[in-house]
Amino acid sequence: MAAISEKQGITRRSVKIQSNFERNAFMFMRLSGIALLLLAVGHMMLQHVLNSSTNLTIQFVAEQWNSWGWKLFDFLLLIFAVSHGINGFRNVLEDYVHNKTAVKWINIFLLIFVVATILWAGYAIWRFDSTPFSSSA
């Protein structure tokens, strides 16, 4: 609720901010956008600027993924990219779908999709075995 008061010709408006899902989703989009900017630019700098693009082979990736730090970096990039993108898609869909029941089911489906994608791809990142790609063969 907004309350407007006038005192000495100055109008002041106070707004009581309520916490809800849409407000949290709005804040998540802003914060994940900043995280994605740092992670994606960092990824581009490390993979395509500091290293020669001719060196980007499966052996190069396998050597990097021997380190838990690189796996964590790529996993964070995965989490923020998938959840940020699907949250934006959810916002666009809510502009066009006006049935509250349909919106609820769409949100449930998108949540399941995000969780399944992150678990599936995260499993692939963490369980990656670089042994077949080692250059010592």
Side-chain angles (χ1 to χ4, degrees), residues 27-91:
M27 289 304 297
F28 172 77
M29 286 297 280
R30 275 49 188 177
L31 296 175
S32 67
I34 293 169
L36 272 173
L37 183 65
L38 296 173
L39 288 169
V41 169
H43 175 79
M44 289 298 292
M45 291 296 294
L46 293 169
Q47 301 299 332
H48 302 287
V49 175
L50 298 178
N51 294 307
S52 173
S53 61
T54 59
N55 191 29
L56 291 178
T57 61
I58 189 66
Q59 289 83 13
F60 180 78
V61 173
E63 288 174 17
Q64 282 189 317
W65 278 6
N66 277 333
S67 166
W68 65 268
W70 284 110
K71 287 183 179 184
L72 179 64
F73 183 88
D74 287 342
F75 187 64
L76 288 174
L77 186 60
L78 167 78
I79 289 173
F80 284 117
V82 170
S83 56
H84 183 90
I86 294 298
N87 192 28
F89 181 57
R90 183 189 64 80
N91 283 333

